[in-house]
């Protein structure tokens, strides 16, 4: 462990040196990349410095235990147990920090929510998930923007796409990708029978130019007239944008911005992120069984969670986690579930899975 930590400190110092060079200001991409790497290494370096300070304290105390003064020896012996305990805790922290980090954890995200099986009730549930997530964003200090929304006549959304920005939202929300199942009595059900419906959620790390270079020659960009809610420009100008990535057939549309320029810029962000995600998914598939062992990167059609309204129960099937707090979760209190998923993934990594 010490060799790995020494290597991290050496890398940290190399980056600091590189960022202090005058010519770094002319290479924005390199400066951005190095600054992010420096920020990611800083918690480990700080924790290692603390660990080394504690080790020195313990060594000094051990030396005092051989002092000729009996009071000093007694004092040193009394001071050693809390220092040893602090060292043990710091070692555990360093082991966690040395676990390979998901390179996307610090990224902003693109989220898509769709009504799936269950007709209008599925779309209503998609709307409920949208409101649940936006309340969670508020709790966490994340900002969100609606990119595209297709409202359903029966309520909710058949599809809604969001851009979420903040302090590493992907780290917390990457576990949400998959099929979400709801069990409840629909408002239109006169017999009081419980129905089961599903909505799907996809969470993509927002790719930057340094992550994935978008070849504009592979894109077809079409403009058309916006429809639905969206302000004075709707139905009066061709402000909506549809971008097609011709090699893969991936299509992105955006019409909720104030102008064609804004919609095009947003659609390009989403397209870059989708293609970056496709590239990562292909790499994971090539890794075979490794993909199945990771929470949050599995099959997007997999049922990950059930929301049971009659019993106020929510269950995450990937880790067998259940709490009787569905009402609180739907108000955006997702922390217990997300923390359980983070802890489980960390435990699997520490055990070598």
């Amino acid at each position: 462990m010490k060799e790995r930590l020494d290597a991290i400190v050496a890398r940290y110092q190399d980056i600091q040196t590189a960022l202090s060079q005058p010519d770094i200001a002319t290479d924005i991409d390199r400066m951005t990349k190095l600054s992010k790497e420096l920020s990611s290494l800083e918690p480990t370096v700080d924790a290692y410095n603390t660990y080394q300070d504690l080790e020195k304290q313990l060594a000094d105390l051990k030396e005092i235990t051989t002092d000729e003064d009996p009071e000093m020896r007694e004092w040193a012996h009394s001071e050693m147990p809390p220092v040893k305990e602090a060292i043990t805790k710091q070692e555990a922290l360093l082991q966690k920090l040395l676990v390979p980090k998901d390179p996307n954890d610090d990224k902003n995200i693109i989220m898509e929510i769709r009504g799936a099986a269950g007709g209008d009730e599925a779309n209503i549930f998609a709307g409920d998930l949208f409101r649940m997530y936006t309340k969670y964003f508020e709790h966490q200090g994340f900002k969100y923007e609606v990119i595209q929304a297709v409202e359903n006549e029966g309520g909710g959304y058949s599809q809604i796409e969001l851009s979420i920005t903040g302090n590493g939202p992907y780290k917390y929300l990457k576990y949400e990708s998959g099929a979400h199942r709801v069990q409840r009595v629909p408002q239109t059900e006169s017999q009081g029978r419980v129905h089961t419906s599903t909505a799907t959620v996809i969470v993509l790390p927002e790719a930057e130019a340094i992550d994935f270079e978008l070849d504009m020659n592979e894109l077809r960009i079409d403009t058309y007239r916006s429809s639905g809610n969206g302000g004075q420009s709707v139905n009066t100008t061709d402000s909506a944008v549809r971008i097609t990535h011709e090699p893969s057939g991936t299509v992105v549309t955006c019409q909720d911005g104030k102008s064609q320029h804004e919609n095009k810029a947003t659609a390009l962000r989403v397209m870059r992120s989708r293609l970056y995600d496709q590239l990562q998914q292909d790499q994971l598939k090539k890794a075979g069984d490794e993909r199945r062992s990771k929470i949050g990167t599995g099959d997007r059609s997999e049922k990950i969670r059930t929301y049971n309204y009659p019993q106020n129960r929510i269950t995450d099937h990937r880790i067998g986690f259940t709490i009787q707090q569905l009402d609180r979760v739907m108000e955006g209190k997702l922390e217990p579930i997300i923390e359980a998923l983070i802890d489980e993934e960390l435990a699997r990594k520490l055990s070598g899975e």
Side-chain angles (χ1 to χ4, degrees):
M1 185 174 76
K2 185 178 182 300
E3 289 180 359
R4 291 176 63 189
L5 289 166
D6 287 338
I8 289 171
V9 170
R11 175 59 182 164
Y12 184 82
Q13 292 170 342
D14 288 344
I15 296 172
Q16 285 182 316
T17 301
L19 288 172
S20 67
Q21 300 303 312
D23 60 341
I24 192 68
T26 61
D27 191 343
I28 301 300
D29 286 346
R30 182 166 178 263
M31 183 172 68
T32 301
K33 190 173 182 179
L34 287 175
S35 296
K36 286 186 174 181
E37 186 180 356
L38 188 76
S39 178
S40 69
L41 294 177
E42 194 164 12
T44 305
V45 173
D46 288 346
Y48 188 36
N49 287 336
T50 300
Y51 175 77
Q52 289 179 313
D53 289 343
L54 289 167
E55 288 268 271
K56 187 177 185 308
Q57 286 182 42
L58 184 62
D60 290 343
L61 288 169
K62 285 181 179 178
E63 186 174 344
I64 294 172
T65 60
T66 63
D67 194 274
E68 293 181 359
D69 187 336
E71 290 187 2
M72 289 296 292
R73 292 200 302 271
E74 183 179 352
W75 172 82
H77 280 295
S78 67
E79 290 292 314
M80 286 174 66
V83 175
K84 288 181 178 179
E85 184 179 352
I87 288 174
T88 300
K89 289 182 179 179
Q90 204 66 15
E91 284 177 341
L93 173 61
L94 286 168
Q95 285 183 338
K96 289 182 179 180
L97 289 169
L98 286 174
V99 170
K101 184 181 176 183
D102 187 332
N104 293 320
D105 274 353
D106 294 330
K107 293 187 183 297
N108 296 323
I109 63 174
I110 305 294
M111 174 181 278
E112 177 186 290
I113 307 169
R114 288 177 179 264
D120 286 345
E121 175 63 14
N123 295 323
I124 292 170
F125 180 49
D128 293 339
L129 290 177
F130 166 66
R131 285 184 287 275
M132 176 189 76
Y133 286 126
T134 55
K135 290 179 180 180
Y136 175 73
F137 302 155
E138 291 171 5
H139 298 159
Q140 297 297 315
F142 300 151
K143 295 182 179 179
Y144 73 92
E145 172 190 356
V146 175
I147 296 171
Q148 174 88 340
V150 181
E151 295 184 15
N152 181 61
E153 292 181 1
Y157 300 93
S158 58
Q159 175 187 351
I160 184 165
E161 289 181 84
L162 313 166
S163 169
I164 298 100
T165 59
N167 186 19
Y170 186 77
K171 177 181 178 180
Y172 304 98
L173 290 157
K174 62 184 175 182
Y175 308 103
E176 299 304 298
S177 288
H180 296 239
R181 181 176 69 175
V182 61
Q183 295 173 327
R184 64 183 175 188
V185 179
Q187 294 180 357
T188 55
E189 173 55 59
S190 59
Q191 303 297 319
R193 292 173 296 188
V194 174
H195 286 225
T196 298
S197 307
T198 58
T200 58
V201 176
I202 295 177
V203 176
L204 308 178
E206 185 171 335
E208 301 172 21
I210 58 175
D211 299 317
F212 184 87
E213 185 175 352
L214 199 58
D215 187 346
M216 298 300 291
N217 294 321
E218 296 179 343
L219 304 179
R220 186 177 75 247
I221 302 176
D222 302 308
T223 58
Y224 60 98
R225 193 150 295 180
S226 300
S227 61
N229 300 325
Q232 294 181 351
S233 64
V234 172
N235 290 321
T236 60
T237 61
D238 292 341
S239 62
V241 174
R242 180 189 299 109
I243 299 180
T244 304
H245 181 247
E246 294 186 325
S248 67
T250 302
V251 177
V252 172
T253 59
C254 185
Q255 67 171 33
D256 282 19
K258 296 177 181 178
S259 66
Q260 183 186 118
H261 177 76
E262 185 177 327
N263 284 328
K264 180 181 176 182
T266 301
L268 285 171
R269 283 170 50 209
V270 177
M271 178 62 77
R272 180 182 286 112
S273 298
R274 287 191 176 176
L275 295 177
Y276 176 62
D277 180 69
Q278 286 179 11
L279 177 65
Q280 290 192 309
Q281 292 295 318
D282 289 343
Q283 291 172 345
L284 286 168
K285 286 179 182 177
K286 289 177 182 177
D289 290 341
E290 181 187 356
R291 181 171 183 260
R292 301 191 189 98
S293 70
K294 289 182 171 60
I295 301 168
T297 56
D299 189 343
R300 294 270 164 78
S301 64
E302 177 189 1
K303 179 187 70 179
I304 64 167
R305 196 174 295 153
T306 295
Y307 303 69
N308 186 298
Y309 275 74
Q311 299 179 26
N312 194 36
R313 184 182 72 231
I314 184 165
T315 299
D316 194 287
H317 303 289
R318 293 164 294 182
I319 59 174
F321 180 83
T322 297
I323 52 173
Q324 307 289 141
Q325 298 178 11
L326 178 57
D327 53 344
R328 288 175 53 80
V329 170
M330 298 310 293
E331 290 299 313
K333 303 293 185 180
L334 278 160
E335 289 86 354
I337 300 172
I338 290 174
E339 287 170 7
L341 288 161
I342 290 173
D343 289 345
E344 176 66 19
E345 183 177 30
L346 178 60
R348 293 185 183 189
K349 286 181 176 178
L350 286 172
S351 67
E353 287 189 30

